[in-house]
Amino acid sequence: MNIMALDPGRDKCGLAVLNGQGEILWRQVIETRALEEFAIARAREHDPVCLIMGNGTTSKEAEGRLKKALPEMTLKVVDEYRTTEEAKKLYWQVNPPKGWRRFLPVTMQVPPEPVDDLVAVILARREIDKGTV
């Protein structure tokens, strides 16, 4: 059972696909204008049972676009409270600091790239942990 998750945004979105155990199968930060293209491709590739989407920036617009692009997909909008902070922590777990940066606490460092895809991962994992997907 695979799950697709989306962190919608005005200019960029985080999109991820996880299996039922919360393992990441695919993740990427994409341009918002290409949302349908990526969502359709990932749906064909991974056959997710549902799409979990954060309720933040431009979520209503993204929801409408995805309902048209993937009408058969169950779409669930969820609270994305504090997911960016969690994604920053997850970033450093996935990409441990190297060189002199490893001596600085990661709480004092800013990830050098967007973490929207990791926000999508966190949204999916929250729902998996709740047992709602």
Side-chain angles (χ1 to χ4, degrees), residues 51-65:
L51 191 147
I52 307 296
M53 185 177 80
N55 65 349
T57 310
T58 68
S59 63
K60 293 289 184 202
E61 180 186 334
E63 182 179 4
R65 291 171 62 185

Side-chain angles (χ1 to χ4, degrees), residues 4 22 35 61 68 71 75 78 85 88 93-94 124 128 132:
M4 190 176 340
L35 175 59
E61 180 186 334
K68 286 181 184 174
L75 194 135
V78 298
E85 292 86 9
K88 288 176 182 178
Q93 291 171 10
V94 174
I128 290 167
T132 58

Side-chain angles (χ1 to χ4, degrees), residues 57-105:
T57 310
T58 68
S59 63
K60 293 289 184 202
E61 180 186 334
E63 182 179 4
R65 291 171 62 185
L66 289 170
K67 281 184 177 179
K68 286 181 184 174
L70 298 166
E72 70 288 345
M73 179 83 56
T74 301
L75 194 135
K76 183 176 182 182
V77 180
V78 298
D79 184 19
E80 61 177 59
Y81 180 70
R82 299 192 66 104
T83 52
T84 301
E85 292 86 9
E86 288 181 46
K88 288 176 182 178
K89 289 178 187 174
L90 181 57
Y91 176 87
W92 294 116
Q93 291 171 10
V94 174
N95 306 289
K98 293 182 174 37
W100 63 268
R101 290 187 172 272
R102 69 179 190 264
F103 299 111
L104 281 177

